[in-house]
Amino acid sequence: MTRTALIFLGAFAAVAMSFTALSLLPSLQLSTIEPTPGTNEYTYDEQLGRQVYIREGCMYCHSQQVRPDGFGADQARGWGDRGSRPGDYVYDDPHQLGTMRTGPDLHDIGNRQPSRDWQLAHLYQPRSVSPGSVMPAYPYLFEVKRKANVRPSEVTVPISSKYAPPGDSVVVATQEALALYDYLMTLKLEPLDSDQNG
Amino acid sequence: MSDPTPSSLSVSTTDPGSAPPAWRRVVDRSTRGPVAAFIASATAWLLIGSLLALIASFKFQFPDWWTEQAWLTFGRVRPAHLNTMIYGWISMAGVGIGTWLWARLLKTPLRGQGLLWTSIGLWNVGMVVGTIGILAGYSRAIEWLEMPYVAFAFIVPALLLVVASFLLTLRERNAQHLYISVWYLGAAILWGPFLIIAILLPIFSGVPQGTANWWYAHNILGLWITPPGLAAAYYFIPKVIGRPVYSYHLSYLGFWTLALFYNWAGVHHLVGGPAPQWVVTVSIAFSAMMMVPVIVVAVNHHMTVVGHFEKLKYSPTLRFVVFGAMSYTAVSLQGSLQSFRYWQEVTHFTHYTIAHSHLGVYAFATMIAFGSIYYIMPRVMDWEWGSPRLISLHFWTTGLGVGAYFTALTIGGVIQGFQLLDPDVAFLKIVEDTQPWLIVRSVSGTLMTVGHIVFAYLLARIILKSGARPDGPTYFHPVPEGTFQVAGGDGTSRAPATPETD
């Protein structure tokens, strides 16, 4: 073997080793992990909502990982009653752990803010329920239509007067907005069974 | 391989007044098409990426601006910015610069031009598909891997074609000794495709996907973007100054420690997260060990430049490259320190991390790429830049821009981090207190974008050879006699007037 080949193969082997250790071994270690209580396979609507979450890049401002006891102030902030566990994520592909908290963590949002009216109004216009927020508005997940044209099956979103559409128009949630709400409500950190506390 | 006379090596000719030998002109010409096309494509993506960055940044000042257009929402524009900059700008620039260095340092004409042209075509198609894909709502929302699979179906073959061209050229080398830049480039050209193929395997989900994600993302920076930057710094600093690199032994030590340590460091991105503790601890340990290659490279470069700092006043290449090399030291030492658990507790999830990544990809890699391109293009095109004023404008807008960017987001990020640790500070108060720093980001981003437009204009002019042929090499200021002793040092591209040696 020439010296040149030795340099490049050696460099290559170094990376193959860390790939095994940092990517393959954790997959192996966690391959048999049990889902935590309340962690279930996503329903069709929840999965659709998760696709909206992924598509709109919610992850770039919202993490989904509550820090453990003694590390950070997540639990004191009311973002969850326990740190997140690998078992919370067994059905997540792609993962949405996130790296930024321009907005608050969402891993327990289903417990923290279950109100559908609040969540939908917040998606339509964040500043209507959370003054000073810099979150984007998502008007394209909603329809603005005349009150008379709203079908009984449709969900009307109450919007505070400053941001409400003019006249007799109202804001109606699309299927995607409702699905996104359904997905957000799956994000709950339930207490662990006693044998998982260790 | 142990050549006792470093001064005779290809990196620099210390014989004063010697002319660039004939083989260099032949080799430079052989790279013209692919190198110019890679650099031009990269610069086009730099402009697109800058525009996306500005849209994303100004959205924090005007959150109700362009909200009806789904494809312009922050969560799509931001990953589109990152992907165009990483896979479009800095990757294509790195391959363009690397291709030129590869042929130069192996002292042989470039082989596989057809492969490289095909690569450029595939790569640009992949980037267009990937960028539109993200904006149209097909993002995979895995950081640094947002482009849909179909984009990588173009980009991975494009990378493999570059590998093929590099191997064909390597086989025909005329250089006995492989200079350290060749090591870095050769390793990177193997690492890059391996990283991408390994991470695209559909075998990950949940938390392990997170560890794999950060193994990958950190290594794309460390093993794909960093090595061409170091290869360029190792080549251009001695070359422009006109003396051999300080120590060959240190350069080998730096290479192997980087190769062995860097690739373990990535999972420090999950400190305090749900990943298995041992994975995080391993990454913190290796992040700290990264101080070895960084300090080794810093000492080696500093000892090469020492006593020649006045040359920064004149040479655009040297000024950009030294700025980049110093940023490499800064960003890497910062990276080692911030991997520690306490500092992660404060700074993770804040704009501090964004500042750090721009110190790496921009202040280090991008500035070195600019400096390298200022050296390479005159030789490849047989034409000169012609406008020291515009190059100077480019330097100061980008240098001051990234300086202000880094300073503002670092300070703002640390404040944000401490506020997040205090549950008595309301979240919206933190949002409000972050705003002034994000305004500085928008302003400094605008400044950098102005620099990019100037750079693109200069590049277009030299590729099109527009206007009258500029006179002589382009320096910032008139150069005193004897400053650059090596003919063909910085900026010259002319055919040598003296008989050729070597």
Coordinates of all heavy atoms in Angstrom, one line a residue, chain B residues 1 3 10 34 98 111 121 149 204 213 263 277 319 329 333 345 361 387 422 442 493:
Chain B
M1 N 9.8 10.8 1.2 CA 8.9 11.9 1.4 C 9.6 13.0 2.3 O 9.3 14.1 2.1 CB 7.6 11.4 2.1 CG 7.6 11.4 3.6 SD 6.9 12.9 4.2 CE 7.7 13.1 5.7
D3 N 11.6 15.4 2.7 CA 12.4 16.3 1.8 C 13.2 17.3 2.7 O 12.6 18.0 3.5 CB 11.5 17.0 0.9 CG 12.3 17.8 -0.2 OD1 13.4 18.2 0.1 OD2 11.8 17.9 -1.3
S10 N 6.9 22.7 -3.6 CA 6.0 23.5 -4.6 C 5.4 24.7 -3.9 O 4.9 25.6 -4.6 CB 5.0 22.5 -5.1 OG 4.2 22.0 -4.0
P34 N -13.7 24.4 -15.5 CA -14.4 23.9 -14.3 C -14.2 24.9 -13.1 O -15.2 25.1 -12.4 CB -13.7 22.6 -14.1 CG -13.2 22.1 -15.4 CD -12.8 23.4 -16.1
G98 N -10.4 24.1 -4.4 CA -9.7 22.8 -4.2 C -9.2 22.2 -5.5 O -8.1 21.6 -5.6
R111 N -7.3 16.4 -14.8 CA -7.9 15.4 -15.6 C -9.4 15.4 -15.3 O -9.8 15.8 -14.2 CB -7.3 14.0 -15.2 CG -5.8 13.9 -15.3 CD -5.3 14.3 -16.7 NE -4.0 13.8 -17.1 CZ -2.9 14.2 -16.6 NH1 -2.8 15.2 -15.8 NH2 -1.7 13.7 -17.0
G121 N -23.2 20.8 -13.6 CA -24.6 20.8 -14.1 C -25.5 20.2 -13.1 O -26.5 20.7 -12.7
Y149 N -35.0 14.7 -0.7 CA -34.2 13.6 -1.2 C -33.8 13.8 -2.6 O -32.7 13.6 -3.0 CB -34.8 12.2 -1.0 CG -34.6 11.6 0.3 CD1 -35.7 11.4 1.2 CD2 -33.4 11.1 0.7 CE1 -35.5 10.8 2.4 CE2 -33.2 10.5 2.0 CZ -34.2 10.3 2.8 OH -34.1 9.8 4.0
F204 N -32.8 6.0 10.6 CA -32.8 6.7 11.9 C -34.2 7.2 12.2 O -35.0 7.6 11.3 CB -31.9 7.9 11.9 CG -30.5 7.6 11.5 CD1 -29.9 7.9 10.2 CD2 -29.7 6.8 12.3 CE1 -28.7 7.6 9.9 CE2 -28.4 6.5 12.0 CZ -27.9 6.9 10.8
N213 N -28.0 13.3 13.4 CA -28.2 14.6 12.8 C -27.0 15.5 13.1 O -26.4 16.2 12.3 CB -29.5 15.2 13.3 CG -29.9 16.6 12.6 OD1 -30.9 17.1 12.9 ND2 -29.0 17.1 11.7
N263 N -14.4 14.6 14.3 CA -15.6 13.9 13.9 C -16.4 13.4 15.0 O -17.5 12.9 14.9 CB -15.2 12.8 12.8 CG -14.2 11.9 13.4 OD1 -14.5 10.8 13.9 ND2 -12.9 12.2 13.2
Q277 N -26.5 9.9 27.9 CA -25.5 10.8 28.4 C -24.1 10.5 27.9 O -23.3 11.3 27.7 CB -25.5 10.7 30.0 CG -26.6 11.5 30.6 CD -26.5 13.0 30.3 OE1 -25.5 13.6 30.5 NE2 -27.5 13.5 29.6
R319 N -4.8 39.5 2.9 CA -5.6 40.1 4.0 C -6.9 39.3 4.3 O -7.2 39.0 5.4 CB -6.0 41.5 3.5 CG -6.5 42.3 4.7 CD -7.1 43.6 4.3 NE -6.1 44.6 3.9 CZ -6.4 45.9 3.5 NH1 -7.7 46.2 3.4 NH2 -5.5 46.7 3.2
T329 N -9.0 30.1 14.3 CA -8.6 29.9 15.7 C -9.6 30.4 16.7 O -10.0 29.6 17.6 CB -7.3 30.8 15.9 OG1 -6.4 30.5 14.9 CG2 -6.6 30.4 17.2
L333 N -11.6 27.7 19.2 CA -11.4 27.7 20.6 C -12.7 28.0 21.3 O -13.1 27.4 22.3 CB -10.4 28.7 21.0 CG -8.9 28.4 20.5 CD1 -8.0 29.5 20.9 CD2 -8.5 27.1 21.1
E345 N -25.6 25.2 29.1 CA -26.8 25.5 29.8 C -27.3 26.9 29.6 O -28.4 27.2 29.4 CB -26.6 25.2 31.3 CG -27.9 25.3 32.2 CD -27.6 25.0 33.6 OE1 -26.4 24.9 34.0 OE2 -28.6 24.9 34.4
V361 N -18.5 29.6 9.4 CA -18.8 29.5 8.0 C -18.5 30.8 7.3 O -18.0 30.8 6.1 CB -20.3 29.0 7.7 CG1 -20.5 29.0 6.2 CG2 -20.5 27.7 8.4
S387 N -9.6 46.7 -9.9 CA -10.2 47.7 -9.1 C -9.9 47.5 -7.6 O -10.7 46.9 -6.9 CB -11.7 47.8 -9.3 OG -12.2 48.8 -8.4
D422 N -33.7 32.3 34.2 CA -34.4 32.9 35.3 C -35.9 32.8 35.1 O -36.4 33.6 34.3 CB -33.9 34.4 35.4 CG -34.6 35.1 36.6 OD1 -35.4 34.5 37.3 OD2 -34.2 36.2 36.9
S442 N -29.7 42.5 11.2 CA -30.3 42.9 9.9 C -29.4 43.9 9.2 O -29.1 43.9 8.0 CB -31.7 43.5 10.0 OG -32.6 42.5 10.4
S493 N -0.5 37.7 -13.1 CA -0.9 36.6 -14.0 C -0.2 36.6 -15.3 O -0.4 35.8 -16.2 CB -2.4 36.7 -14.2 OG -2.7 37.8 -15.0

